[in-house]
Amino acid sequence: MNQPVVAKFGGTSVADADAMGRCAAILEQNAGTRLAVLSASSGVTNLLVALASGAQGPAEREQLLRQLAAIQHAILDRLERPEMLTRHIEDILTHIKELADSAAISPTRALADEIVAQGELMSTRLFVELLRRRGTDAVWFDVRKVMRTDDRFGRATPDLASLKAEVEKELKPLCDRQLVVTQGFIGAAPDGRTTTLGRGGSDYSAALLGEALNAAAVEIWTDVPGIYTTDPRLVSEARAIPEISFSEASEMATFGAKVLHPATLQPAVRCQIPVFVGSSRAPEEGGTWIRNSTPSQPLFRALALRRNQVLLTLTSQSMFQAHGFLAEVFGILARHKISVDLITTSEISVSLTLDAGAELLTEEVKNELARHCHLKVEEGLALVALIGNRMSEAGGTASRVFQAVHDVNIRMICYGASPHNFCFLVDEDNANRVIADLHRELLPA
């Protein structure tokens, strides 16, 4: 067949039988969609993560298992509990109980991935049955056959060459014949053990599979009708953006926009595959198309906010008119797989930010850094990112931003490295007000 469309449905989109029915209707209206990539039903992953921690006693663990089973049974009831499917779901629930019992004794990252992956395996089984009952020729496919990864459990990296080859052999022939339903978020290590791509990895999975299939488009169906000028929960005047460029959307995803996983656009950019973001609850409202370029390129497009930021300030007299200090610092961070976001320097100090850094900044990392410099760690910060076009070229951009937030203490500024963003840190307590003020002044309706 011609280039297929890949549709990804998030957890809220497959939360229950009614939600799954809305997703089925979306697929039925586009015969070109040949691959559906699903998350676990809403709430399921959180329950599985809790079970994987092994932190509960027997009674609490049993309660979590009952909650998990109730979500699956409610959908099975609406499907009139077909015998084979019911048996399959019950087998998975039993498997989860056994794995959770093991985690209570000795939790590991590999065991956690095996537990958490069961959510997608159940939601896709249930969805295939619902599609078949509606008259759609659908087939279930285990994505672990093609999504080969390394063995970094919890945040595995896909093997792109292997993925392309396996998709050509295993998945593409199925997509040529019928609608295929598969899982996002999960993969398999070289030894066959289940891995996960990290929270939000279902979007990334869909984009990777779209790239391997040379898809015409990748659709991300969620619970909001597109990408907004900012989070509408923070600013009621926020509005949907009909069309946005890859560069702008990448900045938004990187700097906190929840509607897209930061890695999602990488495969789409490599192959110039358009990405659509829409609401499965209200597909008639349209959504946002993300393309290589757009006719409209406003100076200010949107605002993103990322909380839980950590600011590190490293001070050393040896930095002055010397070389090698930054190499030492970044070497330490690289060995511990810590990614740096923003960075500024002076003669004897360097400041840098880490996303969710408190979790990454272990005592071992601190001790290594302290051997080379004085280390100051500040938490309780939020990163504000203004997204747009040619911002580093347009005169007066910075003055307009600073005027809008003139009464707020700004801790760090990054401006000019990219024409698409203007970033700075503020205290968490001021973050919501800063977003609202900037939106009112720079993004009026």
Side-chain angles (χ1 to χ4, degrees):
M1 64 171 294
N2 295 327
Q3 291 176 289
V5 172
V6 175
K8 179 265 176 177
F9 297 99
T12 55
S13 295
V14 293
D16 53 33
D18 288 336
M20 286 185 174
R22 291 191 288 270
C23 295
I26 289 170
L27 294 172
E28 290 162 359
Q29 303 212 353
N30 185 1
T33 304
R34 309 304 289 168
L35 180 65
V37 180
L38 268 61
S39 297
S41 297
S42 184
V44 166
T45 298
N46 288 339
L47 291 169
L48 293 171
V49 168
L51 289 167
S53 72
Q56 308 82 27
E60 187 180 357
R61 190 160 63 252
E62 186 60 35
Q63 175 62 23
L64 293 175
L65 289 166
R66 282 197 295 270
Q67 293 177 42
L68 181 64
I71 296 172
Q72 315 308 318
H73 290 162
I75 302 173
L76 279 171
D77 288 344
R78 291 288 297 277
L79 296 173
E80 300 176 339
R81 287 186 173 262
E83 183 179 352
M84 287 187 62
L85 176 61
T86 300
R87 188 184 310 125
H88 198 97
I89 296 298
E90 293 299 340
D91 287 344
I92 294 177
L93 291 170
T94 298
H95 184 47
I96 292 171
K97 182 183 185 307
E98 294 168 348
L99 293 170
D101 289 343
S102 297
I105 298 169
S106 178
T108 67
R109 289 184 178 181
L111 182 57
D113 274 7
E114 179 67 23
I115 293 173
V116 174
Q118 303 306 311
E120 278 73 12
L121 297 175
M122 289 190 289
S123 66
T124 48
R125 290 284 186 184
L126 293 163
F127 190 56
V128 166
E129 178 65 23
L130 183 143
L131 287 169
R132 289 172 177 169
R133 285 175 172 261
R134 293 172 62 108
T136 297
D137 183 16
V139 62
W140 185 85
F141 182 80
D142 189 337
V143 78
R144 292 171 295 186
K145 291 183 178 179
V146 299
M147 189 67 72
R148 300 296 183 181
T149 72
D150 60 16
D151 61 0
R152 189 183 177 195
F153 296 99
R155 297 182 66 182
T157 300
D159 180 337
L160 300 186
S162 175
L163 174 63
K164 177 68 173 177
E166 294 301 321
V167 163
E168 284 286 336
K169 182 174 67 175
E170 299 277 356
L171 186 56
K172 190 174 183 300
L174 288 176
C175 292
D176 287 341
R177 297 195 298 269
Q178 58 199 130
L179 174 63
V180 179
V181 177
T182 195
Q183 307 79 35
F185 178 55
I186 69 175
D191 62 3
R193 286 184 295 172
T194 299
T195 59
T196 66
L197 308 187
R199 297 299 290 265
S202 289
D203 288 359
Y204 186 36
S205 296
L208 286 171
L209 292 168
E211 178 183 31
L213 285 167
N214 190 29
V218 173
E219 299 174 348
I220 307 293
W221 293 98
T222 179
D223 55 359
V224 293
I227 299 174
Y228 278 64
T229 49
T230 196
D231 188 338
R233 293 170 297 184
L234 301 180
V235 180
S236 59
E237 295 79 16
R239 59 196 181 277
I241 303 170
E243 198 171 39
I244 191 171
S245 70
F246 281 134
S247 297
E248 294 168 294
S250 295
E251 298 283 359
M252 290 192 70
T254 298
F255 290 109
K258 301 296 185 186
V259 74
L260 280 177
H261 186 273
T264 301
L265 295 175
Q266 294 174 4
V269 170
R270 286 194 295 261
C271 292
Q272 302 296 295
I273 301 172
V275 176
F276 176 80
V277 180
S279 170
S280 62
R281 294 177 179 176
E284 70 281 356
E285 293 185 16
T288 302
W289 277 102
I290 308 170
R291 307 183 190 277
N292 185 44
S293 61
T294 61
S296 170
Q297 297 182 358
L299 181 63
F300 304 126
R301 177 80 82 178
L303 286 159
L305 177 66
R306 197 165 67 188
R307 303 184 189 276
N308 193 22
Q309 304 299 288
V310 170
L311 176 63
L312 299 185
T313 302
L314 303 95
T315 304
S316 173
Q317 294 295 329
S318 65
M319 276 188 68
F320 183 66
Q321 294 184 340
H323 62 273
F325 176 77
L326 286 179
E328 291 283 354
V329 168
F330 282 97
I332 292 169
L333 297 175
R335 284 197 297 277
H336 291 276
K337 300 187 184 302
I338 296 175
S339 177
V340 172
D341 283 335
L342 310 184
I343 180 170
T344 62
T345 64
S346 70
E347 287 184 343
I348 61 169
S349 66
V350 56
S351 293
L352 49 89
T353 64
L354 309 178
D355 183 27
E359 302 170 11
L360 302 172
L361 202 61
T362 63
E363 288 302 315
E364 183 182 1
V365 177
K366 291 179 184 178
N367 291 337
E368 284 194 47
L369 291 171
R371 296 189 195 111
H372 299 274
C373 59
H374 175 265
L375 177 65
K376 181 180 179 182
V377 181
E378 298 176 72
E379 300 181 41
L381 299 168
L383 175 63
V384 175
L386 179 61
I387 312 300
N389 295 277
R390 304 178 306 280
M391 286 194 292
S392 57
E393 304 168 14
T397 298
S399 64
R400 293 179 65 184
V401 173
F402 294 142
Q403 182 61 37
V405 295
H406 65 277
D407 59 344
V408 175
N409 184 32
I410 295 175
R411 300 302 316 280
M412 184 177 180
I413 302 165
C414 279
Y415 177 44
S418 165
H420 298 291
N421 77 48
F422 187 126
C423 301
F424 54 89
L425 287 178
V426 297
D427 290 339
E428 285 264 18
D429 293 342
N430 292 323
N432 289 3
R433 180 166 66 89
V434 167
I435 290 292
D437 289 346
L438 284 170
H439 195 277
R440 183 181 60 254
E441 295 297 326
L442 304 180
L443 294 163

